[in-house]
Amino acid sequence: MKIMVWKRRLTHVLVLLCAVCLPLAAIFPCFTKPVGQPARDIFTDVTEQAGITWKHFNGESPDSHLIETKNGGVAFLDFDQDGWLDIFLLNGGETPRGKSPTPVRNALYRNLGTGKFEDVAAHAGVDRISFYGIGVAVGDYDNDGFPDLLITGYPDCALFHNNGNGTFTDVTDKAGLKQTGRWSTGAAWFDYDRDGLLDLVICHYAQMSLAQAPHCDFRGTPTYCEPRAYGEGDRLSLYHNNGDGTFTDVSAQSGVDKYVGRGLGVVAVDVNDDGWPDLFVTRDGSPNLLLMNQKDGTFQDMAMDADVAYDPNGVAKAGMGIDAADVNGDGRPNFVITNFDSEYHSLFINPGTFPFVDWTTLSGLSHLTMPYVGWGTHFLDYDNDGIMDLMIVNGHVNKVVGLTRANVTYKEQPLLLRNNGKGIFRNMEESAGPVFHTQYDARGLAVGDYDNDGDTDAIFICLQDKPVLLRNNVGQDNAWIGFQLVGTQSNRDAIGSKLTVRVGGRKLVRWITGGASIFSSHDHRVIAGLGSKPGPEKVSVEIRWPHGETQTVTGLPPNQYHKIVEPRGITE
């Protein structure tokens, strides 16, 4: 009798457990650990193995110029068009009392296709610039098939034209892009008027002079001043591509120069699905901007309508990095923004109308990111399950922070956050790899498939140190499909394209954005994860090209990249 009662009670317990666990499994389907499989790090630091020895220099000095904290550009690009992603690493520079013992140089690491890289920056002519470097934006502005480099900084910027023979030429003056005296930060290539030529938006931070910078200290120790010490900020710049190698400053006539603030990050993506690219600009202690394309060469800020300008208390956060992706499967771009510690990083869900939904707390980001100062960030489907996950790199500004905050450190660990498909994230620290247990003073973050194995790798910059190149170890376990789009009527990079991948009853929406993260540029190819192998036999994709036409391609085999050239005169 006692045995029967015990069995009955055990059955009731199991039923209760199932009642609790099954709904949780439905909400968190990806968070179960495979049984019987050996543990494997999701990412491996392969910096040394790849032959990357370059170190960053920021001119850190007793004067504590704020610019020393806001730099660190990195880009993935195939500069020689050999089919392998190369790496450009941008250095900061010297300050009056922050001198380097060796010449401050950038690096351009050519991918040898063997997991190794060689620095060819000197031969390419991009190893040195005449100003303090901040960020980099990659785009083929003249549609010749070779990516060009825009470098932002202080007190100028530079445009390097890719000559197609392994070298670059500085064409800044000829192009009309001199920024003399300005502190330029984030930038994005995008075709705002859909004429087939990449235009350029450049963010500016504030008015600054290294000779007359404000000075602050904490208990007698020099420290970096708050952004407000540098004034209310500066204006955006928008340049129209004239198609002859020159650009026209249309900041005033487009309306973007009336928004004064401390701009840092920018992403260009079609927010409202009308076929025209919009801009989301993050600003440091200034209200964020959501600049909606009016289709007539002008933009209107709708950040207040979208409830993304301020936090719920009406305070402007320290907005830094930004990215856009569909995190909940509804086919619309949502936005992540990295902020200062105690503000936590933000996630906004785009419901298709204004206002947006502040998903920061419901997503888990509020508690996952509370102690961190965030910089570079990017959505990526690291395991190719078809759901967009999130990577964030962090690092504080002031070294004295430990004297005032018990739970905040100067160097901070990166975050790899796994999405359950509903915009709820979990920290994968335990399985992500040693890098995600290590503290860095990180800044720029770029993503791309540097080894062409069908999953997304990453690299980030660390102030005063080597960068960190991360190889993805798990994405190739699942099925995937990759796309390299080539515009003909549209810009050749196809920046601004919307891709809708259909697999059975599932729909995966991806965009080729301009800008994103902070100070960085990314692989323009698109990878869509298809879940467990062997995956579907064939995949179809609908492409809405930046020029406005829509094309459908069917019968594509998975587990490989597909180069799709935009046909002229699309009617479907």
Side-chain angles (χ1 to χ4, degrees), residues 456-474:
T456 305
D457 310 299
I459 186 169
F460 61 89
I461 292 283
C462 303
L463 297 187
Q464 303 281 73
D465 209 340
K466 293 180 183 178
V468 178
L469 177 63
L470 294 172
R471 185 188 66 214
N472 188 327
N473 299 317
V474 303

Side-chain angles (χ1 to χ4, degrees), residues 11-24:
T11 301
H12 289 160
V13 170
L14 291 173
V15 169
L16 287 172
L17 285 173
C18 288
V20 173
C21 293
L22 286 177
L24 287 176

Side-chain angles (χ1 to χ4, degrees), residues 161-185:
H161 175 258
N162 190 330
N163 300 319
N165 60 0
T167 68
F168 291 78
T169 299
D170 186 340
V171 296
T172 314
D173 289 342
K174 174 187 174 184
L177 292 177
K178 293 286 288 183
Q179 303 286 300
T180 304
R182 303 185 76 181
W183 178 356
S184 55
T185 54

Side-chain angles (χ1 to χ4, degrees), residues 359-383:
W359 201 248
T360 305
T361 299
L362 291 172
S363 68
L365 284 189
S366 57
H367 74 269
L368 289 170
T369 66
M370 175 67 80
Y372 300 116
V373 176
W375 296 90
T377 184
H378 212 285
F379 290 108
L380 71 168
D381 181 6
Y382 73 82
D383 55 357

Side-chain angles (χ1 to χ4, degrees), residues 519-531:
F519 312 145
S520 306
S521 198
H522 318 276
D523 192 351
H524 288 150
R525 295 176 299 179
V526 172
I527 298 173
L530 304 176

